[in-house]
């Protein structure tokens, strides 16, 4: 791996870290912020939820753009993240909730996860693919953990900065997360502009060679490779550069007539390219995101009602667990050099099932809720830790397997593996949050069992699927 490739990969992973940090940093102060802007507590959920909604919408645009370039969409993504955070914090001066919502929405439009996944799949060789995806899982967990942790520290600050042209900048526990992330994105944007360069898409070439045994062992892209791109366009993809206009992208990888250029036909094309192994990986990714979202998002209300925890304790739990994901992800990356992805899947899923089983309150399940604290804080922290660390590390293995089983035709198109993974990820978060709300309406006292018993069943189903289709995941 060249120094430039290392720098590019570092910047891509850092962008993922900052994005996840940006996602969760407003959570502890969201209720207080909407109250300060004159809204009710219920609006805090909308304040947090604006970001994934916008990310879902922007993912397709980024996917189209990354067919030709990675540098430009990365720069636009960072600029949107920077601008969105500034608008979010500036809304406090104007006492405007719509302005704060618009800031979070713009931040979501800048979500770079789709770009990062596509970059890792196209520019990293198959030999290090699992290690890189394990690193991605690590930075996602670290960012998700440090977000609430930083929010707790920022809540202790309260000062005013006079502006040269009039006005003032209010920095407190509510506006601090936005100003802090805007500063980080400003520094990151400068470094990205200065040092990021387009790279050859060696991962894409290896995938093409893997699909056509005739060209295994070659170092150049085959002339007659069976892919939807043409000869010249193949080398364009490999070099990461393009001489075509943005409007020609559809013809570039589809090669269809004028009347066939439609999203509907593109979706039909994708439906034929999504093979059964790809569907398995996407299903596993959805299950992983759903389980983690129900585990993390219910922490505040669940621990408050059962154990009387405060924001500081909840934030500390997320911070510590996220930090433990880092060494485990490193171990998974090293293990991927000796073991296949499917073997690591079995182990991580098994550990996650054990951890989540510790969170089931069996006394409440069979004897009512007379002993409300039958699952004490110690058992809750232990089960939370085991589940979070193992299932969060599971994401890197899934991402690696998905990038290896994805057909080349799907890897180069608009609806590529990075986009599909991002859409599944976002939809999983949405379903997890909605599931928490639904179970809370059914019985708030049994929330622990209502959430975690289905979670255990989902993980058991994933384990059964991986074991049953073990040969299909031999990548």
């Amino acid at each position: 791996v060249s120094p430039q490739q290392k720098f590019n990969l570092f910047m891509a992973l850092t962008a993922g870290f900052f994005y996840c940090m940006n996602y969760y940093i407003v959570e502890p102060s969201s209720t207080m912020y909407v109250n300060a802007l004159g809204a009710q507590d219920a609006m805090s959920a909308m304040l947090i939820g604006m970001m994934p909604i916008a990310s879902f919408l922007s993912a397709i645009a980024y996917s189209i753009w990354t067919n030709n370039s990675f540098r430009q969409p990365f720069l636009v993504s960072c600029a949107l993240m920077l601008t969105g955070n500034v608008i979010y914090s500036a809304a406090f001066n104007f006492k405007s909730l719509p302005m704060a919502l618009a800031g979070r929405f713009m931040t979501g439009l800048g979500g770079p996860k789709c770009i990062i996944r596509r970059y890792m799949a196209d520019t990293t060789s198959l030999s290090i693919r699992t290690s890189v995806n394990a690193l991605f899982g690590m930075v996602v967990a670290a960012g998700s953990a440090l977000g609430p942790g930083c929010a707790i520290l920022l809540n202790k600050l309260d000062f005013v900065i006079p502006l040269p042209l009039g006005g003032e900048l209010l920095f407190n526990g509510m506006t601090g997360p936005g100003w802090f992330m805007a500063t980080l994105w400003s520094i990151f944007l400068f470094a990205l502009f200065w040092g990021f360069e387009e790279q050859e898409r060696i991962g894409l070439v290896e995938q093409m060679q893997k699909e056509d045994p005739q060209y295994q062992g070659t170092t150049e892209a085959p002339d007659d490779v069976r892919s939807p791109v043409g000869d010249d366009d193949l080398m364009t993809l490999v070099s990461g550069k393009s001489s075509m206009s943005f409007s020609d992208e559809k013809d570039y990888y589809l090669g269809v007539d004028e009347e066939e250029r439609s999203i509907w036909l593109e979706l039909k094309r994708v439906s034929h390219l999504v093979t059964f192994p790809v569907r398995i990986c996407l299903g596993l990714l959805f299950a992983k995101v759903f389980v983690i979202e129900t585990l993390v998002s219910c922490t505040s209300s669940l621990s408050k009602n059962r154990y009387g925890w405060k924001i500081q304790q909840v934030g500390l739990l997320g911070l510590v667990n996220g930090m433990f994901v880092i060494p485990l992800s490193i171990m998974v990356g090293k293990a991927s050099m000796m073991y296949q992805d499917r073997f690591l899947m079995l182990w991580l899923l098994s550990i996650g099932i054990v951890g989540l089983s510790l969170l089931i309150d069996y006394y409440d399940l069979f004897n009512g809720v007379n002993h409300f604290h039958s699952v004490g804080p110690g058992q809750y922290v232990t089960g939370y830790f085991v589940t979070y660390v193992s299932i969060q590390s599971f994401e890197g293995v899934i991402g690696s397997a998905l990038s290896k089983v994805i057909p080349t035709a799907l890897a180069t198109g608009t609806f590529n593996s990075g986009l599909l993974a991002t859409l599944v990820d976002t939809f999983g978060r949405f379903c997890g949050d909605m599931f928490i709300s639904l179970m809370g309406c059914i019985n708030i006292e049994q929330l622990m069992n209502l959430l975690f018993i289905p979670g255990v069943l989902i993980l058991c189903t994933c384990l059964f699927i991986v074991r049953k289709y073990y040969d299909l995941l031999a990548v």
Side-chain angles (χ1 to χ4, degrees):
V1 181
S2 67
Q4 183 62 52
Q5 288 175 312
K6 291 181 180 179
F7 178 81
N8 283 7
L9 188 58
F10 171 77
M11 296 300 289
L13 293 175
T14 303
F17 172 79
F18 284 162
Y19 173 77
C20 293
M21 189 175 175
N22 212 146
Y23 184 88
Y24 289 102
I25 197 171
V26 304
E27 185 177 2
S29 61
S30 59
T31 301
M32 183 168 55
Y33 196 22
V34 296
N35 290 339
L37 298 179
Q40 300 297 320
D41 293 356
M43 291 300 296
S44 63
M46 181 175 291
L47 192 66
I48 297 173
M50 293 299 289
M51 199 165 171
I53 294 174
S55 296
F56 188 90
L57 298 176
S58 64
I60 297 178
Y62 287 137
S63 180
I64 297 174
W65 206 345
T66 52
N67 284 323
N68 300 323
S69 169
F70 286 112
R71 174 181 166 85
Q72 295 176 2
F74 257 133
L75 290 172
V76 171
S77 169
C78 293
L80 287 171
M81 298 292 291
L82 167 62
T83 306
N85 279 287
V86 170
I87 295 175
Y88 172 80
S89 293
F92 187 83
N93 293 59
F94 298 92
K95 294 294 186 289
S96 172
L97 179 63
M99 186 175 178
L101 294 173
R104 285 290 288 179
F105 187 84
M106 185 172 291
T107 304
L109 289 178
K113 266 193 169 184
C114 177
I115 307 173
I116 298 169
R117 286 192 171 106
R118 179 75 181 274
Y119 181 83
M120 293 190 301
D122 282 9
T123 64
T124 60
S125 63
L126 295 175
S127 61
I128 64 170
R129 187 75 53 79
T130 302
S131 299
V132 172
N133 278 274
L135 284 174
F136 180 65
M138 178 186 69
V139 299
V140 166
S144 303
L146 284 178
C150 290
I152 294 173
L153 296 177
L154 293 170
N155 191 46
K156 299 180 180 180
L157 303 178
D158 190 358
F159 57 88
V160 178
I161 302 177
L163 299 178
L165 300 179
E168 55 188 16
L169 188 152
L170 302 175
F171 195 104
N172 51 43
M174 295 171 284
T175 63
W179 295 126
F180 177 70
M181 291 308 304
T183 302
L184 292 181
W185 283 112
S186 299
I187 299 173
F188 182 80
L189 181 60
F190 174 79
L192 191 72
F193 181 81
W194 172 74
F196 190 93
E197 297 179 4
E198 298 288 352
Q199 291 291 302
E200 291 186 358
R201 308 197 181 200
I202 57 176
L204 184 59
V205 174
E206 289 186 5
Q207 187 72 16
M208 291 176 175
Q209 295 170 351
K210 178 183 175 182
E211 292 184 7
D212 195 336
Q214 178 182 351
Y215 299 101
Q216 287 184 357
T218 62
T219 56
E220 296 182 354
D223 292 333
D224 58 344
V225 63
R226 292 190 294 270
S227 87
V229 295
D231 298 345
D232 297 333
D233 296 335
L234 172 61
M235 299 313 299
T236 298
L237 272 175
V238 173
S239 64
K241 299 177 182 178
S242 176
S243 60
M244 294 182 302
S245 65
F246 181 74
S247 62
D248 293 334
E249 185 269 342
K250 291 187 284 291
D251 295 342
Y252 159 64
Y253 67 90
L254 284 177
V256 297
D257 297 330
E258 178 79 24
E259 62 272 12
E260 296 179 319
R261 298 170 187 170
S262 67
I263 295 295
W264 172 248
L265 286 176
E266 168 69 351
L267 291 174
K268 288 180 63 178
R269 184 187 75 94
V270 170
S271 66
H272 292 295
L273 293 174
V274 177
T275 61
F276 190 66
V278 173
R279 294 174 186 174
I280 292 176
C281 291
L282 291 176
L284 293 174
L285 178 61
F286 174 85
K288 174 266 169 186
V289 174
F290 181 88
V291 171
I292 284 293
E293 192 70 16
T294 55
L295 178 71
V296 174
S297 296
C298 76
T299 303
S300 180
S301 58
L302 187 62
S303 60
K304 176 184 176 182
N305 291 326
R306 293 185 71 96
Y307 314 124
W309 285 8
K310 304 298 182 182
I311 293 178
Q312 289 81 358
Q313 293 165 303
V314 176
L316 182 62
L317 176 65
L319 176 62
V320 172
N321 284 317
M323 291 298 99
F324 272 100
V325 173
I326 297 177
L328 183 59
S329 296
I330 295 175
M331 292 174 57
V332 171
K334 291 183 177 180
S336 68
M337 301 296 182
M338 300 178 289
Y339 303 101
Q340 292 185 342
D341 293 336
R342 56 182 180 172
F343 179 81
L344 298 175
M345 287 181 185
L346 291 177
W347 274 98
L348 292 173
L349 281 172
S350 300
I351 296 172
I353 291 172
V354 172
L356 202 58
S357 298
L358 293 175
L359 298 179
I360 298 176
D361 198 323
Y362 299 97
Y363 192 92
D364 286 356
L365 187 63
F366 297 106
N367 299 282
V369 292
N370 295 326
H371 292 267
F372 196 61
H373 295 285
S374 53
V375 173
Q379 183 175 340
Y380 177 73
V381 171
T382 303
Y384 188 104
F385 168 77
V386 174
T387 305
Y388 183 83
V389 172
S390 60
I391 301 303
Q392 195 69 39
S393 301
F394 183 55
E395 179 176 12
V397 182
I398 301 173
S400 173
L402 177 62
S403 65
K404 294 174 184 177
V405 301
I406 204 83
T408 305
L410 190 55
T412 58
T414 297
F415 288 88
N416 52 74
S417 60
L419 175 63
L420 293 176
T422 301
L423 296 179
V424 170
D425 183 287
T426 307
F427 186 64
R429 290 180 184 275
F430 170 78
C431 291
D433 291 331
M434 293 301 101
F435 186 67
I436 293 173
S437 301
L438 178 61
M439 294 300 103
C441 294
I442 293 176
N443 191 339
I444 190 64
E445 292 184 340
Q446 289 280 1
L447 183 61
M448 179 173 280
N449 287 334
L450 290 173
L451 292 179
F452 300 143
I453 290 178
V456 170
L457 295 177
I458 290 174
L459 293 183
C460 288
T461 303
C462 292
L463 185 63
F464 171 78
I465 290 175
V466 172
R467 195 66 192 91
K468 181 177 180 179
Y469 300 106
Y470 200 67
D471 293 337
L472 291 178
L473 297 173
V475 291

